[in-house]
C-alpha cells in the first residue's frame, strides 16, 4: 500500500482560520483534513465594505474560485497588479501559478467563494508581496 486512501469520504468543514493573505478561510479537502496530496478545496469570505486579500502569489500552483454569493468582486492580477476584472455571483476566477493577485469586495454584501488550489497545504505556499500593496486602491 502506498499510503493513499482506499475509500472516499464526506469531509465536514474545518475550523475557520485567518489566512496570511487576509480573509477567513474554511478548509474542506486538504493535506491537513484528509491527507490530500495535490488539492486544497474550501471556502473563503471577503467581508463587505472593502474586504480584500493582501497582495500575494502562489509560485508553484494554480488557484480557482467560484463566487457563490455577493454583488461584485474586483480581481487584480499581473506582475504589477495592473490587470483588473470584475466578478459577479456565478462567475469563476482563475489565477495561474506565479501570478500576483488581490481580490477586493467594495460592496455592502459579503462575497463567498468556493476555492481550489493545486497544493494540498493550507498556507505553506503563500508568498506575500507587500511591495505590491499600494498598487490596488
Amino acid at each position: 500500500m502506498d499510503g493513499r486512501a482506499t475509500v472516499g469520504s464526506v469531509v465536514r468543514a474545518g475550523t475557520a482560520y485567518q489566512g496570511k493573505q487576509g480573509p477567513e478561510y474554511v478548509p474542506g479537502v486538504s493535506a491537513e483534513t484528509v491527507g490530500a496530496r495535490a488539492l486544497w478545496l474550501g471556502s473563503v469570505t471577503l467581508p463587505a465594505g472593502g474586504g480584500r486579500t493582501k497582495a500575494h502569489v502562489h509560485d508553484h500552483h494554480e488557484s480557482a474560485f467560484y463566487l457563490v454569493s455577493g454583488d461584485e468582486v474586483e480581481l487584480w492580477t499581473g506582475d504589477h497588479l495592473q490587470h483588473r476584472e470584475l466578478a459577479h455571483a456565478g462567475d469563476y476566477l482563475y489565477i495561474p501559478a506565479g501570478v500576483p493577485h488581490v481580490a477586493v469586495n467594495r460592496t455592502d454584501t459579503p462575497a463567498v467563494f468556493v476555492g481550489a488550489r493545486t497544493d494540498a497545504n493550507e498556507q505553506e505556499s503563500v508568498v506575500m508581496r507587500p511591495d505590491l500593496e499600494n498598487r490596488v486602491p
Side-chain angles (χ1 to χ4, degrees):
M1 191 78 138
D2 63 5
R4 283 189 276 184
T6 58
V7 297
S9 59
V10 172
V11 180
R12 306 280 182 249
T15 302
Y17 63 90
Q18 180 100 25
K20 288 189 247 184
Q21 59 274 56
E24 182 176 277
Y25 291 80
V26 177
V29 173
S30 69
E32 292 83 359
T33 60
V34 295
R37 296 201 262 168
L39 176 67
W40 182 94
L41 176 67
S43 64
V44 60
T45 299
L46 287 178
R52 63 181 281 156
T53 64
K54 296 174 186 171
H56 67 285
V57 66
H58 307 278
D59 283 333
H60 304 291
H61 71 270
E62 299 168 294
S63 299
F65 295 90
Y66 175 71
L67 184 50
V68 175
S69 63
D71 294 326
E72 181 176 274
V73 172
E74 300 171 14
L75 176 64
W76 296 78
T77 61
D79 291 339
H80 303 286
L81 299 176
Q82 72 277 11
H83 182 76
R84 177 181 173 265
E85 288 191 63
L86 296 178
H88 299 92
D91 288 341
Y92 294 87
L93 289 70
Y94 171 70
I95 300 106
V99 173
H101 53 285
V102 169
V104 182
N105 178 14
R106 300 184 200 278
T107 74
D108 295 330
T109 305
V112 179
F113 295 88
V114 171
R117 293 193 303 253
T118 57
D119 178 357
N121 296 299
E122 303 268 346
Q123 290 279 285
E124 286 80 0
S125 63
V126 176
V127 177
M128 301 310 298
R129 291 290 309 270
D131 57 304
L132 296 175
E133 275 302 311
N134 293 337
R135 301 236 177 220
V136 175

